[in-house]
Amino acid sequence: MRPQIILITGANGEVGHGLIRQLAEQPDMPPVVVLDIRGLDERIHPLVYETKIGDILDTALLETLINEYEIVTIFHLAALLSTHSEFNPEGAHRVNVQGTVNLLHMATQQSRLRGEAVKFIFPSSIAVYGLPDLATKAAAGAVKEDEYTQPTTMYGCNKLYCEHLGRYYTFHYQQLAATNPLPGVDFRAVRFPGLISALTMPTGGTSDYAPEMLHAAAAGKDYDCFVREDARIPFMAMPDAISALLTLASTPAERLSRRVYNVTSFNPSAAELCDITRAAFPKANIHYAPHLKRQAIVDSWPADVDDTAARRDWGWKPAYDLQTAFGDYLIPTIAQQHHG
Ligand code: AKB
């Protein structure tokens, strides 16, 4: 008997750390095996069953995983974020798309072996949207899942395509085969807004100005914000992001009217983020130095997203709004890290 496990790819990123911590607090969950090209931070190590250091493009490594374990759920977090991806679009495509295809294929094989669909939980992103100009962005308001899906970034294109692949592997994989290939994969995705964690910093994203501003202020460092004061996109505190992934994963399939869901919590402008940061850290030295090309990416993302479907189908409700995210979670936790 192979041991049942949950597999987390890209586990050493900030979502991975939060997810591992949460799963470790749930005693009835199978143990976690992680796969990350960089290994796993030592502090998190005791919380997982095994760490595989390796690449999601290494199909031989994925093969060994299904030989060793019965994988019941995959949280496929490994990805190159939007800013990084623009410096190496083809490399990003390999990791973000081919890597996802490899995992979906592995999940399909695993589903057949166990006679039950493997759950495949995928963090997508507001980067799948592409609004053509600021006037359209202002008029659009809270954008629904199927509106304005014309991304301008490689990362956004990759995430949007992977959402389609997830639907394909769930409902249509090998649809012309002589025998019915089911059970397939049980793919579910949340489109995350920008995420802000008190414990970790993102790397390579375009929504990073929010966490960068806050962490710089707490550390007493100057910060040049790379977007304009009026830049506005949705954000979420990390604990809510983890809870979205876990709640979607545990929802019975018959309650899902779709496989890709918007989720959001609050959508301050950069100036509002700056005000709340300055109020908490009065010595914060924040200036605006917009990087026009990164600004253009933020301008192409919606100011808000409509998460009615997630609220209706699986009871999504963020625990934190803007005030409580900063007042109860971010600022006290960050201040404690910096000042003991
Ligand atoms: C990024 O900026 O690339 C990510 C995202 C919005 O998906 N944080």
Side-chain angles (χ1 to χ4, degrees):
M1 285 277 283
R2 293 164 305 146
Q4 289 198 339
I5 58 135
I6 293 172
L7 176 66
I8 305 180
T9 72
N12 205 35
E14 53 171 9
V15 177
H17 283 194
L19 186 58
I20 291 167
R21 284 196 184 97
Q22 268 296 321
L23 285 168
E25 282 174 17
Q26 300 186 11
D28 48 345
M29 285 285 177
V32 170
V33 171
V34 304
L35 171 59
D36 196 296
I37 203 155
R38 298 163 298 173
L40 190 64
D41 192 302
E42 275 182 12
R43 287 165 303 174
I44 313 282
H45 239 256
L47 304 182
V48 306
Y49 186 72
E50 192 188 351
T51 300
K52 298 263 186 203
I53 301 178
D55 193 335
I56 53 171
L57 296 175
D58 180 352
T59 48
L61 174 61
L62 299 183
E63 197 66 35
T64 62
L65 273 170
I66 49 172
N67 291 332
E68 278 179 55
Y69 296 113
E70 183 185 338
I71 302 169
V72 294
T73 303
I74 299 172
F75 291 90
H76 175 38
L77 311 179
L80 289 187
L81 295 185
S82 54
T83 292
H84 269 175
S85 295
E86 288 313 303
F87 289 104
N88 181 3
E90 290 74 23
H93 188 274
R94 273 192 296 281
V95 174
N96 294 347
V97 176
Q98 188 56 48
T100 302
V101 170
N102 291 349
L103 264 301
L104 283 165
H105 184 230
M106 182 188 86
T108 308
Q109 290 173 302
Q110 178 68 107
S111 300
R112 286 180 186 175
L113 279 173
R114 62 192 296 258
E116 194 179 331
V118 170
K119 276 190 191 152
F120 194 101
I121 311 301
F122 184 69
S124 187
S125 162
I126 53 162
V128 301
Y129 295 110
L131 291 113
D133 49 56
L134 285 175
T136 310
K137 175 165 169 159
V143 170
K144 290 193 167 54
E145 279 88 349
D146 298 322
E147 298 175 328
Y148 299 106
T149 47
Q150 271 134 356
T152 65
T153 61
M154 178 53 104
Y155 172 73
C157 294
N158 294 164
K159 287 289 185 187
L160 185 60
Y161 178 54
C162 287
E163 292 177 358
H164 288 303
L165 287 175
R167 200 173 33 79
Y168 169 76
Y169 274 82
T170 299
F171 297 115
H172 308 292
Y173 184 66
Q174 289 189 330
Q175 56 196 287
L176 297 184
T179 53
N180 188 341
L182 293 173
V185 173
D186 181 352
F187 175 91
R188 304 158 180 215
V190 282
R191 282 189 189 154
F192 278 141
L195 300 180
I196 316 179
S197 168
L199 301 172
T200 46
M201 286 285 287
T203 45
T206 316
S207 58
D208 293 1
Y209 60 91
E212 283 175 1
M213 181 186 294
L214 182 61
H215 284 267
K221 293 186 185 149
D222 295 354
Y223 184 63
D224 286 338
C225 179
F226 60 79
V227 294
R228 292 184 315 265
E229 292 172 63
D230 66 310
R232 189 185 293 277
I233 55 170
F235 282 99
M236 181 181 288
M238 188 58 78
D240 276 328
I242 306 305
S243 128
L245 290 174
L246 291 172
T247 309
L248 178 59
S250 67
T251 300
E254 57 277 12
R255 288 197 15 216
L256 305 179
S257 62
R258 50 186 308 125
R259 291 295 167 149
V260 176
Y261 289 90
N262 282 342
V263 285
T264 187
S265 299
F266 42 84
N267 65 334
S269 66
E272 286 159 359
L273 285 169
C274 184
D275 287 347
I276 207 163
T277 302
R278 280 190 180 130
F281 302 101
K283 290 190 190 143
N285 199 9
I286 301 166
H287 296 285
Y288 292 92
H291 180 291
L292 296 186
K293 292 180 177 164
R294 291 181 95 186
Q295 174 72 64
I297 292 175
V298 169
D299 286 343
S300 78
W301 292 347
D304 197 4
V305 292
D306 181 331
D307 60 5
T308 308
R311 287 174 186 265
R312 182 193 60 223
D313 290 0
W314 42 280
W316 159 247
K317 191 170 184 300
Y320 294 104
D321 60 18
L322 180 62
Q323 298 310 324
T324 56
F326 279 78
D328 297 352
Y329 163 61
L330 291 167
I331 290 166
T333 318
I334 294 175
Q336 195 188 14
Q337 278 176 290
H338 285 281
H339 306 296

